[in-house]
Amino acid sequence: AGKFSPTMPNYYQNKLRLALIGQSLFGQEVYTNLRKQGHRVVGVFTVPDRDGKADPLAVVAEKDGTPVFKFPRWRVKGKPITEVVEAYKAVGAELNVMPFCSQFIPMNVIDHPAHGSIIYHPSILPLHRGASAINWTLINGDKKAGFSIFWADDGLDTGPILLQRECPVEPNDTVDSLYNRFLFPEGIKAMVESVQLIADGKAPRVPQTEEGASYEGIQKKSNSKVNLAQPAEAIHNWIRGHDKVPGAWAVIDGRTVTLYGSSMLGESVPAGQPLEIEGASQPGVVTKNGLVLYGSDSKALMVKNLQFEDGKMIPAAKYFYSGDTARVELTDDERKIAEEIRGIWKGILSNVAAIEETTDFFKSGAASMDVVRLVEEIKQRCVGLQLQNEDVYMATTFQDFIQTFVRRLRGEDQEEEMVIDYATKDVNNMTVKMPWQCFINGKFEDAENGKTANTINPADGSVICKVAYASVGDVDRAVAAAKEAFEVGPWGRMNPRDRGTLLYKLADLMEEHQEELATIESIDSGAVYTLALKTHVGMSIQTFRYFAGWCDKIQGKTIPINQARPNRNLTFTKKEPLGVCAIIIPWNYPLMMLAWKSAACLAAGNTLVLKPAQVTPLSALKFAELTVKAGIPKGVINIVPGSGGMVGQRLSDHPDIRKLGFTGSTPIGKQIMKSCALSNLKKVSLELGGKSPLIIFSDCDMDKAVRMGMSSVFFNKGENCIAAGRLFVEESIHDEYIRRVLEEIKKMKVGDPLDRSTDHGPQNHKAHMDKLVEYCEVGVKEGATLVYGGKQVDRPGFFMEPTLFTDVEDHMFIAKEESFGPIMVVSKFKDGDIDGVLNRANDTEFGLASGVFTRDINKAMYVSEKLDAGTVFVNTYNKTDVASPFGGFKQSGFGKDLGEDALNEYLRTKAVTVEY
């Protein structure tokens, strides 16, 4: 018997009548998946509506027509409520399933069904019995976390174990990250599996041992104060064990301040400003990265965010700069200069009687020209001062401006020179310098767990260098940096035209480094250098220049509406950025796919976190270096290399990400779409798989059809999302076409991608090449004619022979499935059968691209209208342009890259109606 999968219905299995007792999104997912498995839920027992809003479990059950009961309690003074128990018994359940239940359920309900009751608990019992199990897993510094499905008892979490699962605890895991990464998704699967084990009579009942058992109380705000007189790791565990709820707190400046986002620091502690904290063994330090706390062992940890009693949350690095906290103390000389600046303000704001601490520069009537005057007058007074117009917009009151001025005067806010630990390689007549660490908040740094993975040169299988292997914690830090950059950084307040200037500068830097970027693309992805230079890098540069020009042209509309007389109305729309966006790109065009999505995202005013493909991360990290040189503010662009299962999944699940753009396979696209929906209903755009048809009619320009047909399949060694996956050639020219194509294939030079005369480089990685060989073997077994190729080239590296199949019938695997490699699949069609070949061409679940070759313009227009694909090429192929929208239909995805349409993927429309 195969392993049970909760995602695939098995209707032949035994099924049960179930009562679900519980609540929350977790309960909703358990309910939905149990029904998918064919079990019958005869009743849902959940909590009453709160503020008129039903619990998620109730919402989905009511929609399905399942009986829903919303009892506020089951017991009064320890005794069961008779009417409640009777209502429960009436549904006739054979098993109670309790995925998450905050109510006390009487034992005569627990024991009533024939199979009893099972309940989910988020710890590895008997450890951490009680309601705050996840918190205590982290507080105690456990190296393993997990959950238990056990047979419910009297509420003390001591019942026999049915099933347990465990996972490692990452060094900077929080309650949220543990829950989202493992406890939630795996817990749902385990609950469904447990029910099926019971239905099949295979469910164990393993008595809990008391050895190692523990019971901890519920953590509340009142008992979550941090004890700072203990080792740093214990402080770190306490803070993350309470993050986000209920929140660990300390007393700073006589006020309760809640601490979030803790991580352990290594030996090096950045410089900063001391901060006295009640009960600490030594003062904390407010640094550019956050608040450093010291334990009794003198080791250090970093806290990212602080929340005050009024609910306001700030980056810990901004503690001394927030309006309601202690501020930088000025020296006597600085006070004298501040009074001179007050005089400059008064000279500009002549309409204001006196410049008070709270005087606002712009509310007092200042305009943009006054900003220039203010900055230049101060710079004339303080020669060499690094003060910019943006500083005035970021600190508009006199007191805030003086704080900014003093920090500039002291040099406290000067950006540290970027430090990069390059991996270098002498190749292609140059020394290539490649960053290999995560790029987060404007800095290159190791993954928090220190893990790395090798990236391989497909031309010979050698290791190019090691690359950071990001963890969930790294993703969370990158998202936090992007969120801060969007909400409080200069990027969100920047004039659109200034944003465009930065993108133009970035494109210029990419052009300056185009040979280095093309070399990196070639050794990391296997792209032929000349193609990498022209397309991989060249089109990337064009893309950033194109979208840089859009920055100040994003417009809304005015809309005439019916007036509510006697009043008048004005309705207009605004196009706004979404916020933090995630971008996940594939390995076939590493830099170009980055550009296609990132340029539109940034032009719209968003910030981003990007995951390059695990096998081709190097050009994205080199790009990150160039963004700093271009002056893109820190946190706007973050690059986190790593696995799709960890980094990609966390991006899909992260609650602070508002949009995810993905290019890759259709199955992964479906999983991403599901995760984005379940987490926070992110906006999604997907460019997925293809099986693009190319129809060649007998009245074509044969020379051009052969040349372009070759390009449609073998361009970028077939690793091309719009590659012609199947050619349909009209019967009367079929044999001649095949003869001429075969001649051209035999002329192709397969070899070193850095050799300028090479036509065909290595496939991207070994696993892909192996799949291509298997693909060809399947084609031969099914009866297609292998005219040429079909094997790996006998040389080091991952080289695949250019391959040609004919006599391919519609039912064959190679006629339906994408190879994503240098494999031409040819079928013939009867002369003049236009509608017949169109039906065959459209008989696919994919719809990314298509093509037609004919000299008959009427035929060309008819076929282009009927082809069900997002792009149709007529008498050409692979002709993409930065101004033309690109994207597919059906299971090739939705949403567009490139062109004006791409901007709308990263914008939202707000309608405003004013009555006057």
Side-chain angles (χ1 to χ4, degrees):
K3 183 178 178 182
F4 172 74
S5 170
T7 60
M8 299 184 65
N10 295 301
Y11 293 106
Y12 58 85
Q13 293 176 321
N14 301 311
K15 303 301 168 189
L16 294 175
R17 292 165 54 88
L18 307 174
L20 248 75
I21 305 175
Q23 63 206 75
S24 77
L25 184 62
F26 184 76
Q28 180 193 78
E29 285 295 304
V30 170
Y31 165 88
T32 300
N33 280 279
L34 285 170
R35 279 172 51 88
K36 284 181 180 177
Q37 288 300 307
H39 297 286
R40 183 182 173 191
V41 179
V42 294
V44 165
F45 299 84
T46 188
V47 293
D49 296 355
R50 180 174 296 178
D51 298 326
K53 186 176 182 181
D55 182 82
L57 174 56
V59 171
V60 70
E62 288 171 341
K63 184 177 179 181
D64 291 336
T66 302
V68 176
F69 304 84
K70 302 177 181 180
F71 301 130
R73 63 187 62 85
W74 292 70
R75 305 187 303 182
V76 174
K77 296 181 179 179
K79 294 185 177 180
I81 302 173
T82 302
E83 305 84 55
V84 172
V85 174
E86 291 305 315
Y88 156 76
K89 289 181 178 179
V91 302
E94 297 172 297
L95 174 69
N96 292 332
V97 179
M98 303 165 72
F100 173 74
C101 183
S102 61
Q103 298 176 311
F104 287 100
I105 310 300
M107 286 306 295
N108 59 340
V109 171
I110 295 290
D111 295 335
H112 177 75
H115 294 289
S117 304
I118 59 170
I119 190 166
Y120 171 92
H121 184 79
S123 78
I124 307 171
L125 292 172
L127 193 63
H128 305 313
R129 294 167 176 164
S132 293
I134 312 177
N135 304 76
W136 285 102
T137 297
L138 296 172
I139 292 168
N140 284 6
D142 296 352
K143 301 303 180 187
K144 292 190 299 184
F147 57 81
S148 305
I149 313 294
F150 70 98
W151 299 93
D153 57 0
D154 57 4
L156 299 177
D157 302 332
T158 55
I161 301 297
L162 191 160
L163 179 152
Q164 288 183 320
R165 298 280 188 271
E166 63 182 48
C167 70
V169 177
E170 299 289 341
N172 294 321
D173 262 333
T174 64
V175 173
D176 280 354
S177 66
L178 258 183
Y179 185 71
N180 292 330
R181 184 178 83 246
F182 184 79
L183 299 176
F184 181 88
E186 295 304 318
I188 293 165
K189 296 176 186 176
M191 287 296 284
V192 177
E193 182 175 352
S194 296
V195 170
Q196 194 58 55
L197 288 170
I198 294 169
D200 295 339
K202 298 177 182 178
R205 290 176 179 261
V206 181
Q208 287 192 43
T209 175
E210 289 304 305
E211 183 180 350
S214 65
Y215 183 91
E216 295 92 358
I218 296 175
Q219 285 306 100
K220 301 177 180 178
K221 198 71 175 182
S222 58
N223 62 4
S224 60
K225 182 179 181 182
V226 184
N227 173 15
L228 296 168
Q230 56 181 333
E233 187 173 0
I235 298 171
H236 165 63
N237 288 336
W238 183 268
I239 294 171
R240 67 184 182 132
H242 293 81
D243 190 342
K244 298 285 193 225
V245 178
W249 55 274
V251 176
I252 304 175
D253 289 331
R255 294 178 302 167
T256 298
V257 179
T258 306
L259 314 173
Y260 294 110
S262 173
S263 58
M264 291 297 295
L265 283 179
E267 298 298 321
S268 175
V269 175
Q273 191 168 344
L275 177 64
E276 292 292 337
I277 302 174
E278 185 180 290
S281 56
Q282 64 186 91
V285 180
V286 176
T287 74
K288 290 183 177 182
N289 299 327
L291 172 61
V292 175
L293 302 177
Y294 290 94
S296 58
D297 56 357
S298 296
K299 292 183 179 179
L301 61 137
M302 178 81 76
V303 172
K304 285 288 186 184
N305 297 304
L306 305 175
Q307 187 174 39
F308 300 101
E309 292 173 282
D310 63 0
K312 180 181 179 182
M313 183 178 286
I314 64 166
K318 303 293 184 184
Y319 180 81
F320 288 114
Y321 311 146
S322 66
D324 58 351
T325 63
R327 307 173 72 78
V328 175
E329 289 295 326
L330 275 61
T331 65
D332 290 340
D333 288 341
E334 289 167 345
R335 288 192 183 93
K336 291 177 183 177
I337 301 173
E339 288 307 310
E340 292 181 31
I341 294 175
R342 192 188 299 270
I344 295 173
W345 273 54
K346 184 67 177 74
I348 296 172
L349 304 175
S350 57
N351 59 310
V352 178
I355 304 299
E356 307 290 347
E357 296 299 299
T358 55
T359 298
D360 188 287
F361 194 67
F362 296 103
K363 290 179 181 178
S364 300
S368 58
M369 192 62 219
D370 299 313
V371 173
V372 177
R373 175 182 165 184
L374 174 62
V375 169
E376 293 306 314
E377 281 199 53
I378 293 173
K379 287 167 72 173
Q380 188 176 35
R381 164 66 178 79
C382 305
V383 178
L385 177 68
Q386 297 296 314
L387 189 69
Q388 300 181 23
N389 295 352
E390 195 65 35
D391 294 323
V392 185
Y393 292 108
M394 296 289 285
T396 60
T397 65
F398 182 74
Q399 61 184 1
D400 288 343
F401 180 76
I402 290 300
Q403 291 284 309
T404 298
F405 164 77
V406 170
R407 293 197 302 275
R408 292 283 188 270
L409 196 63
R410 295 176 180 180
E412 291 179 3
D413 277 0
Q414 290 182 6
E415 289 293 327
E416 297 176 8
E417 185 177 348
M418 184 169 56
V419 177
I420 305 177
D421 181 15
Y422 289 112
T424 60
K425 197 171 187 68
D426 292 324
V427 61
N428 201 23
N429 300 316
M430 68 180 77
T431 299
V432 178
K433 298 168 68 175
M434 299 170 287
W436 57 270
Q437 297 164 294
C438 299
F439 182 71
I440 299 174
N441 206 24
K443 294 181 179 179
F444 286 100
E445 51 190 51
D446 291 346
E448 66 175 13
N449 55 19
K451 289 185 178 179
T452 61
N454 291 332
T455 187
I456 305 299
N457 184 342
D460 58 13
S462 64
V463 174
I464 302 170
C465 65
K466 64 180 181 179
V467 177
Y469 194 79
S471 68
V472 168
D474 296 311
V475 176
D476 289 345
R477 288 188 299 114
V479 173
K483 188 170 188 282
E484 182 180 347
F486 180 77
E487 293 179 352
V488 301
W491 187 253
R493 304 184 189 187
M494 190 177 293
N495 290 326
R497 198 165 299 159
D498 294 337
R499 191 162 64 240
T501 299
L502 290 180
L503 295 184
Y504 276 124
K505 187 175 180 181
L506 177 57
D508 291 344
L509 282 165
M510 292 171 69
E511 190 167 51
E512 287 179 28
H513 290 262
Q514 61 183 330
E515 289 84 3
E516 186 177 22
L517 286 167
T519 301
I520 292 172
E521 285 282 274
S522 189
I523 64 173
D524 203 24
S525 76
V528 171
Y529 177 75
T530 49
L531 178 67
L533 195 61
K534 179 184 181 296
T535 301
H536 288 234
V537 179
M539 193 173 187
S540 300
I541 295 166
Q542 293 176 27
T543 303
F544 272 99
R545 286 186 174 143
Y546 173 80
F547 283 107
W550 267 110
C551 288
D552 60 353
K553 300 173 187 67
I554 297 170
Q555 301 175 354
K557 301 176 182 177
T558 55
I559 303 171
I561 66 170
N562 287 345
Q563 309 293 342
R565 296 175 180 173
N567 298 315
R568 296 179 62 80
N569 300 95
L570 169 66
T571 294
F572 61 92
T573 60
K574 298 171 63 180
K575 294 287 188 179
E576 299 180 339
L578 301 171
V580 181
C581 298
I583 293 173
I584 302 176
I585 56 175
W587 42 258
N588 57 327
Y589 295 104
L591 186 64
M592 195 171 78
M593 292 297 100
L594 176 153
W596 281 22
K597 287 178 163 47
S598 299
C601 175
L602 295 169
N606 301 285
T607 58
L608 64 88
V609 179
L610 181 140
K611 190 198 91 66
Q614 186 174 341
V615 292
T616 54
L618 294 178
S619 55
L621 294 170
K622 187 66 181 181
F623 167 83
E625 177 191 347
L626 299 181
T627 68
V628 177
K629 293 180 178 180
I632 305 290
K634 66 178 183 179
V636 173
I637 296 170
N638 304 271
I639 311 288
V640 279
S643 70
M646 183 177 293
V647 175
Q649 187 62 51
R650 180 56 179 154
L651 290 172
S652 302
D653 293 335
H654 203 292
D656 289 334
I657 291 174
R658 292 297 166 193
K659 159 69 196 279
L660 191 148
F662 171 75
T663 295
S665 72
T666 297
I668 298 300
K670 290 179 178 180
Q671 180 60 44
I672 284 174
M673 190 172 175
K674 180 179 179 181
S675 297
C676 288
L678 286 176
S679 54
N680 62 339
L681 213 62
K682 294 175 183 64
K683 187 175 183 179
V684 182
S685 56
L686 303 171
E687 196 256 276
L688 307 176
K691 187 68 175 174
S692 301
L694 174 58
I695 303 174
I696 300 174
F697 288 100
S698 59
D699 60 355
C700 69
D701 178 334
M702 180 64 83
D703 291 341
K704 191 173 186 181
V706 170
R707 186 174 70 254
M708 289 294 184
M710 291 282 294
S711 174
S712 75
V713 174
F714 300 116
F715 189 82
N716 201 46
K717 7 96 177 200
E719 294 169 353
N720 187 20
C721 50
I722 58 172
R726 191 175 181 194
L727 277 68
F728 294 92
V729 181
E730 200 158 11
E731 191 168 28
S732 59
I733 63 165
H734 175 273
D735 293 350
E736 172 66 9
Y737 187 83
I738 295 300
R739 184 187 66 77
R740 293 186 59 175
V741 163
L742 181 59
E743 288 177 358
E744 295 302 315
I745 290 176
K746 290 178 178 179
K747 295 176 187 176
M748 291 176 68
K749 180 180 178 181
V750 179
D752 180 2
L754 294 175
D755 184 335
R756 301 328 191 242
S757 64
T758 294
D759 297 303
H760 187 82
Q763 305 309 135
N764 187 276
H765 51 282
K766 186 177 186 303
H768 179 55
M769 185 197 64
D770 291 343
K771 287 181 181 178
L772 293 176
V773 172
E774 183 181 356
Y775 184 94
C776 293
E777 290 171 350
V778 171
V780 171
K781 287 179 182 177
E782 287 191 331
T785 301
L786 178 61
V787 177
Y788 191 86
K791 299 183 178 64
Q792 180 180 354
V793 178
D794 185 17
R795 59 170 291 165
F798 314 136
F799 292 86
M800 178 74 186
E801 293 177 339
T803 299
L804 173 61
F805 276 103
T806 61
D807 302 318
V808 178
E809 298 179 16
D810 294 354
H811 68 274
M812 293 180 178
F813 177 82
I814 64 172
K816 295 179 176 294
E817 295 299 323
E818 180 181 31
S819 72
F820 212 65
I823 301 172
M824 181 178 282
V825 175
V826 183
S827 300
K828 68 176 69 171
F829 67 96
K830 292 181 180 179
D831 290 348
D833 189 12
I834 299 175
D835 289 326
V837 75
L838 279 169
N839 288 335
R840 296 170 71 191
N842 287 329
D843 186 20
T844 172
E845 273 300 300
F846 300 112
L848 189 57
S850 59
V852 55
F853 279 82
T854 175
R855 285 190 173 97
D856 184 338
I857 187 62
N858 293 320
K859 187 189 297 182
M861 295 305 294
Y862 178 78
V863 171
S864 65
E865 180 183 331
K866 296 296 183 180
L867 282 169
D868 196 8
T871 296
V872 180
F873 298 109
V874 179
N875 294 329
T876 187
Y877 209 89
N878 287 323
K879 181 59 179 174
T880 54
D881 186 88
V882 294
S884 177
F886 180 95
F889 298 162
K890 299 185 285 188
Q891 292 198 45
S892 288
F894 51 82
K896 297 295 183 183
D897 291 326
L898 303 179
E900 184 180 359
D901 293 52
L903 285 169
N904 293 321
E905 301 296 333
Y906 296 94
L907 292 166
R908 63 186 185 185
T909 302
K910 177 182 287 183
V912 180
T913 298
V914 181
E915 186 173 279
Y916 60 96

